[in-house]
Structures are given as structure tokens and as C-alpha cells.
Amino acid sequence: MNNLLAAILSMVVMMMKTITSHPTGSPGCDYSPTHGHQFAPQSSSDPHNVIISKTELEDGRWWILLQSDINCPLETTYIENHFVGFLVKTESLGHFQPLPEYKVLECDDWRTKAVTHKNRRAKANMGIIFVPIGGGYETTDPEFTIHLVKEFERFWVDIKI
């Protein structure tokens, strides 16, 4: 009986590990697209054909841009040189401005803020706005950690900008 219980418990744990990537975005702030450890993240730090940048706007907000080298029709699910998913997070003081293109996640700790994709459609250009707390509380530029999914077996984790 103990062997049967151990086998069932092992199957449940294995099933849980394979459900870490979601077409509607990350389920939480501290998840990465490990796909049940079936595939390892890419070893290069730069995603192929995707430019990642951050720019301070005149009003003090920050614009994080994930941009592919092509224009992508909205109705397309999979095309060449695109990405399908992302998670952008920071521990800087402030908040992500809600926009229809992405969803803001509720993080377990008070310090972490994060946004993720809403669907699995191909994306060529995703702009994300971060609003820092004013008053000089932060003396450095906000830092962001990004996970980017190009396709099921090709993804990057812990890209720093």
C-alpha cells in the first residue's frame, strides 16, 4: 500500500512541475518558463531577434520595450521572429501602470512588482510602463528582471536591464 501511495504522490508532483508555463501569462511573480524542466533556458543572455530596452520618460516614468525585428499581425499565433510570452519584474519602489496589452500580477511580498502577457499570440512590440515613487526615495535607475518566451522550447530567464 505504501508503494502505491508513493507512486501516486510521485505522479502528482511530476504533473505539477509540467504546468509551469501558461498561455495566459505567469501564474505568479516568482515563476519562470521552465516547462517542467523538459527544456533548459537558452545559454545566451540576449534573445535572438528581440531588443530589450528601458528608457526614462520626461515625466519620470520608465518605458520598458520588448521589440522584435518585425511587425506582427494581431491575429497571428505563431510567426517567425516573434515572442509569445514574458514576465517583467522589479523590486524598485513604484508600480507598473496597468495597460490592456499586459496584466499586472499580485506578488506575495510587498517589494516585488511584476507584469506578464495575457495571451499566446505572437508579439513583436510590447511597451510596459513603470511609475517610480517620487520624492527621491530611489537614487538609482530601477532595475528589471525579464523572462522571455520565444517558443515552447526556446526561452530566456533572468535578463537584467
Side-chain angles (χ1 to χ4, degrees), residues 6-61:
I8 292 172
L9 184 59
S10 294
M11 286 178 21
V12 168
V13 169
M14 286 189 299
M15 288 172 54
M16 287 172 46
K17 282 190 170 189
T18 62
I19 317 176
T20 58
S21 177
H22 298 275
T24 58
S26 176
C29 301
D30 293 320
Y31 286 79
S32 69
T34 57
H35 300 293
H37 304 289
Q38 297 169 11
F39 300 99
Q42 297 297 301
S43 58
S44 68
S45 61
D46 289 330
H48 180 65
N49 293 329
V50 178
I51 299 164
I52 299 174
S53 63
K54 70 177 179 181
T55 305
E56 185 174 13
L57 303 175
E58 289 181 13
D59 61 4
R61 297 179 303 159

Side-chain angles (χ1 to χ4, degrees), residues 48-97:
H48 180 65
N49 293 329
V50 178
I51 299 164
I52 299 174
S53 63
K54 70 177 179 181
T55 305
E56 185 174 13
L57 303 175
E58 289 181 13
D59 61 4
R61 297 179 303 159
W62 287 86
W63 177 255
I64 299 99
L65 181 62
L66 312 175
Q67 184 176 22
S68 185
D69 63 356
I70 57 146
N71 289 322
C72 168
L74 288 176
E75 68 276 358
T76 305
T77 303
Y78 296 104
I79 61 170
E80 192 175 345
N81 294 340
H82 68 284
F83 57 96
V84 294
F86 63 89
L87 173 71
V88 177
K89 64 183 180 176
T90 186
E91 290 187 351
S92 297
L93 297 175
H95 66 276
F96 285 103
Q97 183 174 326

Side-chain angles (χ1 to χ4, degrees), residues 77-124:
T77 303
Y78 296 104
I79 61 170
E80 192 175 345
N81 294 340
H82 68 284
F83 57 96
V84 294
F86 63 89
L87 173 71
V88 177
K89 64 183 180 176
T90 186
E91 290 187 351
S92 297
L93 297 175
H95 66 276
F96 285 103
Q97 183 174 326
L99 291 176
E101 293 82 14
Y102 55 81
K103 64 182 175 182
V104 177
L105 296 172
E106 295 290 328
C107 301
D108 291 336
D109 68 73
W110 65 272
R111 188 101 170 120
T112 305
K113 290 78 137 177
V115 294
T116 189
H117 58 284
K118 284 186 165 183
N119 58 53
R120 67 181 186 144
R121 285 191 178 133
K123 296 157 187 59

Side-chain angles (χ1 to χ4, degrees), residues 140-159:
T140 60
D141 294 349
E143 294 180 0
F144 302 93
T145 301
I146 300 170
H147 303 326
L148 186 77
V149 178
K150 196 152 177 77
E151 52 199 30
F152 183 78
E153 66 277 347
R154 231 166 43 156
F155 56 92
W156 292 261
V157 297
D158 297 329
I159 302 165

